Amino acid sequence: MTRTIRSSVALGAAVLLTFGGLSTFATATATASPATHHLVESPAQAALAQAVAPSECAGTLLDTYVDQLFAGMTDEQFAFLVAHQDTLLNVPTYDALFFGSPNDPDYALESHAQQITNTFRDLRRFWNIESADIQLMAMHGDVLLDAARIEKTLTAMVATGELDPMTPEQIQAEAATVADFMQTQGDFYDNPLWTLNAFAFSADGETDPFIAALPDKLIMGDGIIDAYDAIGLGDVGIRVIMAHEFGHHVQYELGVFDTGPTDPAEATRRTELMADAMAAYYGTHKKGLALNKKRVADALLSFYTVGDCQFDSPGHHGTPLQRQRAADWGADLAAAAKPQSSILPPATFVELFDQALPEIISGS
Ligand SMILES: [Zn+2]
């Protein structure tokens, strides 16, 4: 197989938490996501892996978890995944993004539902932005059992350029093949890999009429929730990741994506490190989650995988050390609040972060 994994190709304004190359994000550029090293090796990836310092890209608990997911597949399942990766790794995401709504049971939060709902409400209170229009919902793998839903999603992905062109007949055949297979494979449809993500979406600046009409969303995948549970960070991790994603909504609301560096990789690094700092600020603040600084940083840092060592990628989130420094900076800012209950206005937070960014990047 020489084909690379292409999971979430960049959506205009979608910001997804990068996860081992299984998902990507971008602000304005259309770029295929990096291939994951887990499934299919590509020459470019191998070259890249050698070009980065091992200490900066060491595996995490989540790497191990993802490896176990692959190891748990039968040979037949694994081969099917490789052959139908565009559908398996994208359709649950785009189905929720394009067609999900908070009142539809197909997108209802299940695992940790109460905690997620409460944290969302709390984040809206903490960051004083216009947030009533943000829709919170889940994405589930069971869409892969339903040929009609797969077909609808693939059709919309092709129409919006998120997937390479396919004819209606090809789409119909692919949808039927995937749904038929999933129906014979027990709970394979629910494998965390299909929904291993959490992301914030805003249609701000989108030109495609279909995408531009989509509401703001914060979507939590079952897979990311399962992953955090599995590595023992379910409680803290889920809330901290939500805080990171909500941070992107704060950025959308304040127009942060319209400012900053013009280089796409540098621009992404800034907004991702800022979202980490926002998550750490909220996570440790007395009026936020009031969690221990190290636990919050651990939860954020557990997202590092080799997939995010692609430093030149527009989807790059910053090195682990940079993210650690961003988290530390946010936590220290919360600790320095006087009085302890005072919360900075979001615009002030962004201003202070931008002043601190050179040091967060360089470490000195
Ligand atoms: Zn992010």
Side-chain angles (χ1 to χ4, degrees):
M1 280 289 158
T2 53
R3 188 173 170 209
T4 57
I5 296 284
R6 186 181 128 173
S7 57
S8 319
V9 276
L11 260 191
V15 177
L16 295 91
L17 198 56
T18 290
F19 208 162
L22 285 172
S23 64
T24 187
F25 100 112
T27 45
T29 39
T31 317
S33 70
T36 169
H37 71 295
H38 295 295
L39 274 181
V40 184
E41 295 292 350
S42 79
Q45 268 190 306
L48 196 61
Q50 287 166 8
V52 295
S55 63
E56 290 274 275
C57 293
T60 66
L61 287 170
L62 281 177
D63 277 312
T64 310
Y65 176 75
V66 169
D67 286 343
Q68 286 167 355
L69 293 179
F70 288 123
M73 291 178 194
T74 65
D75 290 347
E76 188 190 13
Q77 289 170 341
F78 186 81
F80 192 86
L81 164 58
V82 172
H84 299 274
Q85 53 192 267
D86 281 340
T87 301
L88 271 52
L89 297 175
N90 285 300
V91 163
T93 295
Y94 284 89
D95 166 67
L97 177 59
F98 289 163
F99 307 114
S101 82
N103 301 320
D104 184 335
D106 281 344
Y107 309 94
L109 294 159
E110 288 169 6
S111 177
H112 293 265
Q114 201 57 49
Q115 183 187 49
I116 289 169
T117 307
N118 290 345
T119 303
F120 183 62
R121 190 183 307 131
D122 197 48
L123 280 160
R124 291 177 53 191
R125 170 196 58 82
F126 187 86
W127 295 109
N128 190 20
I129 57 158
E130 177 57 52
S131 61
D133 55 342
I134 304 171
Q135 298 183 352
L136 172 68
M137 68 191 75
M139 57 172 166
H140 306 298
D142 63 359
V143 58
L144 297 173
L145 294 169
D146 187 330
R149 285 176 68 192
I150 298 170
E151 187 179 339
K152 187 177 169 191
T153 302
L154 288 176
T155 301
M157 288 176 70
V158 169
T160 53
E162 298 303 327
L163 266 187
D164 292 337
M166 291 169 80
T167 66
E169 293 73 25
Q170 286 171 327
I171 289 172
Q172 199 173 24
E174 169 69 0
T177 301
V178 169
D180 286 351
F181 182 80
M182 287 295 176
Q183 286 166 17
T184 65
Q185 297 291 316
D187 63 0
F188 191 52
Y189 73 88
D190 204 26
N191 193 296
L193 278 176
W194 321 147
T195 53
L196 202 63
N197 212 347
F199 63 94
F201 172 83
S202 166
D204 274 0
E206 286 300 325
T207 49
D208 182 285
F210 176 73
I211 294 177
L214 295 172
D216 287 359
K217 291 188 175 185
L218 197 164
I219 298 180
M220 296 294 293
D222 284 343
I224 194 75
I225 298 168
D226 288 349
Y228 269 105
D229 278 341
I231 64 173
L233 286 169
D235 198 41
V236 173
I238 292 163
R239 289 182 288 170
V240 168
I241 292 318
M242 286 192 72
H244 173 104
E245 296 309 324
F246 198 90
H248 289 313
H249 276 299
V250 174
Q251 294 168 345
Y252 288 132
E253 203 58 42
L254 297 178
V256 169
F257 290 102
D258 304 329
T259 62
T262 48
D263 175 70
E266 285 179 30
T268 299
R269 183 175 63 187
R270 167 181 176 247
T271 49
E272 290 305 328
L273 293 174
M274 190 191 298
D276 280 341
M278 287 169 159
Y281 181 74
Y282 166 75
T284 58
H285 196 284
K286 186 169 176 259
K287 289 289 179 183
L289 296 174
L291 291 165
N292 170 283
K293 173 178 168 175
K294 185 174 182 307
R295 291 194 72 195
V296 170
D298 283 351
L300 284 169
L301 269 283
S302 65
F303 273 82
Y304 293 116
T305 65
V306 172
D308 204 20
C309 282
Q310 310 210 351
F311 298 126
D312 295 331
S313 157
H316 178 54
H317 282 196
T319 69
L321 285 173
Q322 289 165 348
R323 292 190 81 177
Q324 176 75 55
R325 286 193 289 265
D328 285 347
W329 181 86
D332 291 346
L333 191 64
K338 284 194 178 85
Q340 285 282 289
S341 60
S342 73
I343 303 167
L344 289 170
T348 307
F349 184 98
V350 170
E351 209 173 295
L352 292 174
F353 177 85
D354 277 334
Q355 286 166 17
L357 183 57
E359 218 171 298
I360 290 169
I361 290 170
S362 71
S364 56

